[in-house]
Amino acid sequence: MLNLLKMSYKSTAETCPTCALLAIELEEPQHGRAPHVEELLRRNEPIKDEELVAFRLIVDKSPDIIDGLNERIDQVEELLEVLLQTRIRAKADLADARSLIHPMRALPNTLMTTIFSYCVPTWATALSEGEVTSLDPALAPWTLSFVCRRWRDIVLSSPELWTYLELDIDDHQVHITPRQLAYKMTLFIERSKGLPLFFHLSSTHEIANHPIFPALEVSLPRWKHLSVDLPRSTLRCLSGNVFSSLEQLVILDIEEESDERDSLYVFDTKNAPNLCVLEVDEQVPWQAFEYFELPWTRLLQVVDFPAVDFDAFWHLQKMSSLEDLAVIMDEGEMPMRAVKASLPKLARLSIQEELEAHTKSSKAFCAALDIPALSELRFTFPSARGRVHHFPNFRAADRFTKLHITCAMSCNSNNSGNILHFLSHAPFIEDFTIVDSGMSVKCISGLKVTSTSTRLPRLRILDFSGCFCDDVLSEDWATIYDMLESRRAEPADPNSKTTGNALVLSNHPGTSAGALYLEKLCVPRWLYCANDVRWEEICKTMKVECGVTMRDDFSAEEEFAHGSDYGSDGSNGTDSTGTY
């Protein structure tokens, strides 16, 4: 307590150079009472005269000292408040500065539009990812226009962001009134500013009297791709209009009334003159097209065609201009056809055999086709124990050049032989891709060029990056090397007039003599990273790319056991599609 009297409280003209307040020198304060004062307070006895004088001095001077300290505390509190506000302002200035110098502000509007285009649904993404709601204000492109004025100007001046419209009338009726729905749809279409529209229209009720119908009719000439899930009565209301821009039609469902048997002339040759692509959902019976006129002779592409459906095959015979056909082999046996379907312009044929399909359905379907212009053939077989893959009996003169097979040869021991037999009658193939979860040694060795056997003599591109060869990995690496070495161009001998290995084609019908080699090879990771002298020599003579192994349970122990040099993240230190 006596130290309070000794406290040096000097108020001078000197100020702190940092805070500009008066400088005060303070001694270290004493914590708690002094022992002498503690002793005096325990007793109720008179104190000595000199102590009495000291304590009276404290009583007289303490109020002035406390007033000085309070003044100082007020100054410090004011300084603290100033510093706190200054810190807040500094943080705000930092955030503002970072925002102002952000590279996004310098991006041109054209690039911003490109970025925005990845945020909005498109025709391709909507078909693959499922339903979207184009009129939902919580989704793009609506949300993009809510960020700032510049973004709103860009979005509203970019009609390509407003070209895909999915309209499920039944779903919207739960949230908004018909008039509100018509207003939002009209606004959406207006913002597309005359560009072609990609439209998905769905309803379980007739919409001829709905407020949106006039806007739909006005925009009909701009519909380029159309997906419909409508009752026949609604489609009949659309008849008489000209779909001048319509190129692709996806029919998800046609709700047929029992008494409706009149033909529908909605997308016929007159009303849809440019319609060339047709996709029909599996739940739509092709019998319905008996009363649904389409420009069959003008179609260029048909997707998800049910080959075992008799009515579908009857319509297939009309598609004389068809160039691309994707077939689904579903449940049921392929019936015998008395008359073949002649498709003189068909260039690409894809056949997907479902697990419920008869094992010889694909073979029977190909036998029912006359396809002289075929250039690309794709097969997809299901994986099931004991399943046999049957291939069509093409003639050796059939000139298709590209083949893609997705299969599981390990399901049945006959599959490897069936594939090799099929390849023996396909001498014009130049590009061969095979995806298999258990490619056999027999199939690998069957592609080797020998003096007595040459399958795929024109092969230039081989892709088996989607294969996992259990038996080859363990003990038969030489099988792959032998096959590849038989198809590679060896360096020319300077003392010889030949150029190394030469695959002569003069013995094959319809070909001319010449030498062909494998030019491009796409292999799985386990082979791409092989550490072998023979593999290094092979890579010198052809372009080698690394693909991705199809099998998900390919463990690090297996990779290490087979000599692969991978990182802990499963990568091999190069790009997944890198070139050797």
Side-chain angles (χ1 to χ4, degrees):
M1 181 180 293
L2 296 178
N3 288 337
L4 184 62
L5 299 176
K6 301 177 181 178
M7 181 180 297
S8 176
Y9 181 78
K10 299 179 181 179
S11 178
T12 65
E14 297 180 1
T15 58
C16 175
T18 302
C19 60
L21 295 178
L22 294 177
I24 299 178
E25 297 180 4
L26 298 176
E27 293 184 359
E28 183 70 23
Q30 179 179 331
H31 299 285
R33 297 188 179 97
H36 178 63
V37 176
E38 288 279 0
E39 182 66 24
L40 292 176
L41 291 174
R42 289 195 191 100
R43 296 178 298 176
N44 191 16
E45 298 178 356
I47 60 176
K48 298 179 181 180
D49 294 339
E50 60 273 16
E51 292 175 341
L52 183 60
V53 173
F55 290 133
R56 284 178 176 174
L57 184 61
I58 292 175
V59 173
D60 294 338
K61 291 189 175 183
S62 290
D64 295 335
I65 296 175
I66 293 174
D67 291 340
L69 292 174
N70 288 335
E71 181 183 356
R72 182 60 176 167
I73 290 173
D74 292 340
Q75 294 176 343
V76 172
E77 288 178 347
E78 291 178 1
L79 174 61
L80 178 60
E81 182 65 23
V82 171
L83 294 178
L84 291 175
Q85 293 298 327
T86 304
R87 183 178 66 176
I88 293 174
R89 183 67 262 170
K91 289 183 177 181
D93 292 342
L94 175 61
D96 293 343
R98 286 177 174 174
S99 177
L100 291 172
I101 67 173
H102 196 281
M104 178 67 75
R105 301 176 66 90
L107 294 180
N109 291 352
T110 54
L111 184 56
M112 292 288 291
T113 301
T114 303
I115 295 174
F116 291 163
S117 66
Y118 288 95
C119 302
V120 299
T122 63
W123 176 263
T125 57
L127 290 180
S128 60
E129 299 177 4
E131 296 183 357
V132 296
T133 304
S134 301
L135 302 184
D136 187 350
L139 300 176
W142 303 93
T143 51
L144 298 175
S145 64
F146 301 155
V147 176
C148 63
R149 179 174 297 179
R150 184 193 176 211
W151 282 32
R152 180 173 179 82
D153 292 341
I154 294 175
V155 171
L156 297 184
S157 62
S158 303
E160 59 268 31
L161 302 179
W162 304 87
T163 56
Y164 177 77
L165 178 58
E166 177 164 336
L167 187 60
D168 188 337
I169 299 176
D170 296 338
D171 181 62
H172 285 297
Q173 285 180 344
V174 180
H175 307 288
I176 57 178
T177 65
R179 290 188 177 276
Q180 290 175 328
L181 176 61
Y183 170 76
K184 293 196 66 174
M185 191 201 71
T186 304
L187 181 63
F188 195 102
I189 293 176
E190 286 180 353
R191 290 178 176 179
S192 62
K193 297 181 180 178
L195 290 182
L197 295 175
F198 303 85
F199 218 111
H200 170 78
L201 187 59
S202 175
S203 176
T204 58
H205 304 89
E206 184 177 339
I207 61 174
N209 298 322
H210 197 283
I212 69 167
F213 196 77
L216 288 177
E217 285 194 307
V218 172
S219 64
L220 284 179
R222 295 166 50 196
W223 293 3
K224 185 175 183 179
H225 293 175
L226 175 62
S227 173
V228 293
D229 182 358
L230 299 170
R232 289 173 59 91
S233 57
T234 296
L235 291 175
R236 180 174 290 102
C237 295
L238 296 175
S239 61
N241 293 283
V242 178
F243 300 80
S244 56
S245 301
L246 186 62
E247 296 179 359
Q248 180 174 352
L249 175 63
V250 179
I251 301 178
L252 300 178
D253 194 10
I254 303 176
E255 296 189 10
E256 184 175 357
E257 294 83 357
S258 58
D259 58 343
E260 294 288 345
R261 287 295 181 268
D262 297 336
S263 296
L264 289 177
Y265 298 94
V266 183
F267 307 108
D268 58 359
T269 304
K270 179 181 178 180
N271 296 331
N274 296 313
L275 180 60
C276 58
V277 180
L278 175 64
E279 180 177 349
V280 181
D281 191 85
E282 59 181 9
Q283 66 179 352
V284 179
W286 277 71
Q287 185 180 3
F289 292 105
E290 182 180 353
Y291 307 100
F292 199 142
E293 296 296 329
L294 290 175
W296 301 107
T297 58
R298 295 187 179 183
L299 293 180
L300 302 179
Q301 181 182 3
V302 175
V303 183
D304 293 344
F305 179 81
V308 298
D309 189 301
F310 179 84
D311 296 290
F313 192 86
W314 184 77
H315 288 288
L316 181 65
Q317 295 174 321
K318 307 176 187 178
M319 305 179 193
S320 56
S321 300
L322 198 62
E323 298 178 357
D324 191 339
L325 177 61
V327 176
I328 299 292
M329 307 301 302
D330 211 338
E331 185 177 1
E333 186 174 355
M334 184 71 189
M336 297 297 295
R337 305 295 182 185
V339 180
K340 287 188 175 183
S342 179
L343 305 175
K345 297 183 179 181
L346 187 67
R348 292 173 295 277
L349 175 60
S350 301
I351 300 178
Q352 179 177 336
E353 191 175 285
E354 300 292 338
L355 186 61
E356 300 82 6
H358 192 274
T359 56
K360 294 185 178 180
S361 295
S362 300
K363 181 178 180 180
F365 177 74
C366 291
L369 300 179
D370 183 12
I371 42 179
L374 186 67
S375 62
E376 180 178 347
L377 183 60
R378 299 174 70 94
F379 288 105
T380 301
F381 294 98
S383 177
R385 184 179 299 275
R387 182 102 180 175
V388 180
H389 304 330
H390 292 278
F391 294 86
N393 296 323
F394 283 116
R395 301 167 300 170
D398 290 327
R399 304 181 69 90
F400 62 93
T401 59
K402 189 172 183 179
L403 178 64
H404 187 290
I405 298 177
T406 300
C407 61
M409 282 184 283
S410 59
C411 292
N412 192 290
S413 58
N414 295 323
N415 289 336
S416 296
N418 291 347
I419 289 181
L420 293 177
H421 177 75
F422 175 69
L423 297 180
S424 299
H425 296 81
F428 294 95
I429 292 179
E430 299 178 2
D431 187 342
F432 178 40
T433 299
I434 184 167
V435 178
D436 186 10
S437 59
M439 190 174 181
S440 66
V441 179
K442 180 180 178 180
C443 188
I444 292 285
S445 59
L447 296 177
K448 180 181 177 181
V449 176
T450 64
S451 58
T452 59
S453 175
T454 305
R455 291 185 178 89
L456 308 183
R458 289 178 171 268
L459 189 63
R460 296 290 189 104
I461 301 173
L462 176 60
D463 184 351
F464 61 98
S465 60
C467 296
F468 186 90
C469 311
D470 294 298
D471 47 355
V472 173
L473 279 174
S474 59
E475 54 186 13
D476 292 303
W477 286 80
T479 306
I480 297 180
Y481 295 153
D482 291 342
M483 183 271 292
L484 295 176
E485 287 174 344
S486 71
R487 292 183 173 273
R488 73 185 179 107
E490 295 181 352
D493 186 354
N495 299 323
S496 174
K497 296 182 180 180
T498 64
T499 59
N501 284 346
L503 191 58
V504 182
L505 304 180
S506 57
N507 294 330
H508 297 278
T511 64
S512 57
L516 291 178
Y517 311 104
L518 200 60
E519 297 177 351
K520 182 179 178 181
L521 179 66
C522 192
V523 297
R525 293 183 303 173
W526 46 265
L527 179 58
Y528 182 78
C529 297
N531 185 15
D532 191 282
V533 176
R534 294 180 66 183
W535 175 245
E536 296 290 341
E537 291 298 322
I538 291 172
C539 294
K540 293 179 181 179
T541 58
M542 64 183 72
K543 181 180 179 181
V544 181
E545 293 183 353
C546 176
V548 180
T549 304
M550 294 295 292
R551 180 167 146 179
D552 294 330
D553 59 345
F554 192 65
S555 64
E557 291 78 13
E558 289 175 310
E559 294 172 338
F560 177 78
H562 300 306
S564 299
D565 185 16
Y566 294 97
S568 59
D569 59 350
S571 63
N572 60 359
T574 62
D575 185 77
S576 60
T577 58
T579 302
Y580 199 92

